[in-house]
């Protein structure tokens, strides 16, 4: 490794720039980080980030009965499920493709923070918007839901697209970030992705939304209010999950353990560079 480039990387890491890594080649397979109690906590945090990468999709597609109530008077009452699913998958795919093309110039730490913040804002917006009709008197609620049915679908679709764009970037960034660590860290993150569906199912069970038939059988705005409150609580769970992801990643990324791993990754990437010094390594602290 050229002394000037090595010293530059060490200087950037010393000033906190090491976590703004770009996606590059991982360190050698046997290049393990030193044993550190913080390493176990960082491992768990990256598992939580893995769960966060798929939590948005599972959250969007689950409260179907609430959507049936909210979109009942809109032209999309029978097609909302397909439209939400297609929108999410199409936008997420485009986001993943964009990440693959830009992974050597975007900063992983910044991207993870930005996408987690975006998810947090999206689901906070959905929570507030979902609960907003509860401010109206009970005798006006049904008429309000019918009058705002199309607008509600538009808001939900826009939030779905934003969540999908963030999900694609978050997925790629978390995987690339984990690649700087030993292989077991990536494995735990992938395990977190597998847990995302289970976590959403548990949240859905805890905030069960009555079916349309139950609402009709119960009659009146009281049942509708219960359905809206349950859906608001459901989105609130997503807000809590992404807030936990954001806060825990901020802690984990700043630990000496994580900075040490990032330093070794930067040096390994520097030594493997065959091109001019202006490539990915030059963007480490940029």
């Amino acid at each position: 490794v050229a002394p000037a480039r090595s010293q530059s990387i060490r200087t950037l890491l010393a000033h906190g720039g090491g976590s703004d890594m770009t996606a590059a080649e991982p360190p050698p397979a046997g290049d393990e980080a030193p044993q550190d109690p913080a390493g176990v906590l960082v491992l768990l945090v990256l598992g939580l980030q893995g769960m966060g990468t798929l939590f948005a999709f599972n959250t969007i597609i689950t409260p179907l009965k609430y959507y049936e109530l909210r979109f009942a008077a809109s032209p999309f009452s029978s097609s909302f499920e397909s439209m939400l699913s297609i929108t999410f998958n199409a936008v997420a795919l485009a986001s993943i493709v964009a990440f693959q093309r830009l992974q050597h110039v975007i900063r992983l730490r910044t991207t993870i923070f930005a996408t987690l913040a975006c998810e947090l804002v999206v689901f906070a917006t959905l929570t507030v918007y979902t609960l907003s009709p509860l401010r109206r008197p009970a005798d006006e609620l049904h008429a309000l839901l019918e009058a705002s049915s199309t607008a509600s679908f538009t808001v939900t679709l826009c939030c779905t697209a934003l969540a999908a764009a963030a999900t694609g970037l978050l997925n790629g960034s978390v995987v690339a970030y984990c690649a700087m660590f030993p292989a077991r860290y990536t494995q735990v993150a992938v395990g977190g992705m597998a847990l995302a569906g289970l976590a959403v199912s548990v949240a859905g069970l805890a905030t069960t939304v009555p079916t349309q038939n139950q609402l009709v059988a119960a009659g009146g705005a009281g049942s509708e209010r219960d359905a809206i409150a349950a859906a608001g609580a459901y989105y609130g769970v997503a807000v809590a999950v992404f807030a936990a992801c954001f806060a825990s990643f901020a802690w984990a990324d700043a630990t000496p353990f994580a900075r040490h791993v990032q330093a070794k990754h930067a040096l390994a990437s520097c030594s493997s560079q065959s091109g001019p010094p202006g490539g990915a390594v030059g963007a480490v602290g940029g």
Side-chain angles (χ1 to χ4, degrees):
V1 180
R5 296 174 67 189
S6 298
Q7 182 60 37
S8 175
I9 291 175
R10 293 190 183 93
T11 301
L12 288 170
L13 291 171
H15 288 82
S19 55
D20 258 3
M21 302 290 296
T22 56
E25 294 299 322
D31 195 10
E32 298 289 329
Q35 295 298 322
D36 190 316
V40 177
L41 296 178
V42 172
L43 186 71
L44 296 176
V45 167
L46 294 183
L48 179 62
Q49 306 309 312
M51 186 177 74
T53 62
L54 294 183
F55 201 86
F57 175 71
N58 287 283
T59 301
I60 289 291
I61 65 171
T62 300
L64 299 179
K65 299 304 179 183
Y66 164 73
Y67 295 151
E68 289 175 5
L69 169 67
R70 199 69 189 265
F71 307 151
S74 75
F76 314 101
S77 59
S78 61
S79 60
F80 68 85
E81 184 175 356
S82 296
M83 293 186 67
L84 292 177
S85 181
I86 291 172
T87 297
F88 193 101
N89 285 291
V91 174
L93 178 60
S95 181
I96 292 173
V97 171
F99 176 82
Q100 293 300 320
R101 297 180 65 88
L102 300 174
Q103 61 178 321
H104 295 291
V105 295
I106 63 176
R107 303 179 181 92
L108 296 181
R109 178 178 183 272
T110 301
T111 304
I112 292 174
F113 276 129
T115 51
L116 287 174
C118 180
E119 300 280 26
L120 189 58
V121 170
V122 165
F123 286 101
T125 300
L126 283 172
T127 301
V128 173
Y129 186 81
T130 297
L131 296 175
S132 61
L134 297 182
R135 297 177 300 176
R136 303 295 289 269
D139 57 347
E140 298 179 9
L141 182 59
H142 185 73
L144 173 65
L145 293 178
E146 287 190 342
S148 63
S149 190
T150 300
S152 297
F153 176 79
T154 302
V155 170
T156 304
L157 189 67
C158 290
C159 287
T160 297
L162 287 173
T167 294
L169 290 175
L170 180 63
N171 194 306
S173 298
V174 167
V175 171
Y177 185 90
C178 290
M180 293 189 291
F181 293 78
R184 63 181 179 274
Y185 286 75
T186 300
Q187 294 167 358
V188 169
V190 172
M193 296 177 188
L195 287 176
L198 176 61
V200 170
S201 297
V202 172
L205 181 63
T207 57
T208 302
V209 178
T211 65
Q212 190 74 355
N213 290 335
Q214 290 173 325
L215 292 173
V216 172
S223 299
E224 293 176 336
R225 296 177 74 87
D226 291 342
I228 292 171
Y234 180 74
Y235 286 131
V237 171
V239 172
V241 168
F242 285 113
C245 287
F246 189 97
S248 63
F249 180 77
W251 171 84
D253 183 68
T255 60
F257 172 82
R259 292 303 174 94
H260 173 84
V261 172
Q262 293 161 14
K264 295 179 73 174
H265 173 83
L267 293 174
S269 298
C270 180
S271 64
S272 66
Q273 289 292 322
S274 57
V281 175
V284 170

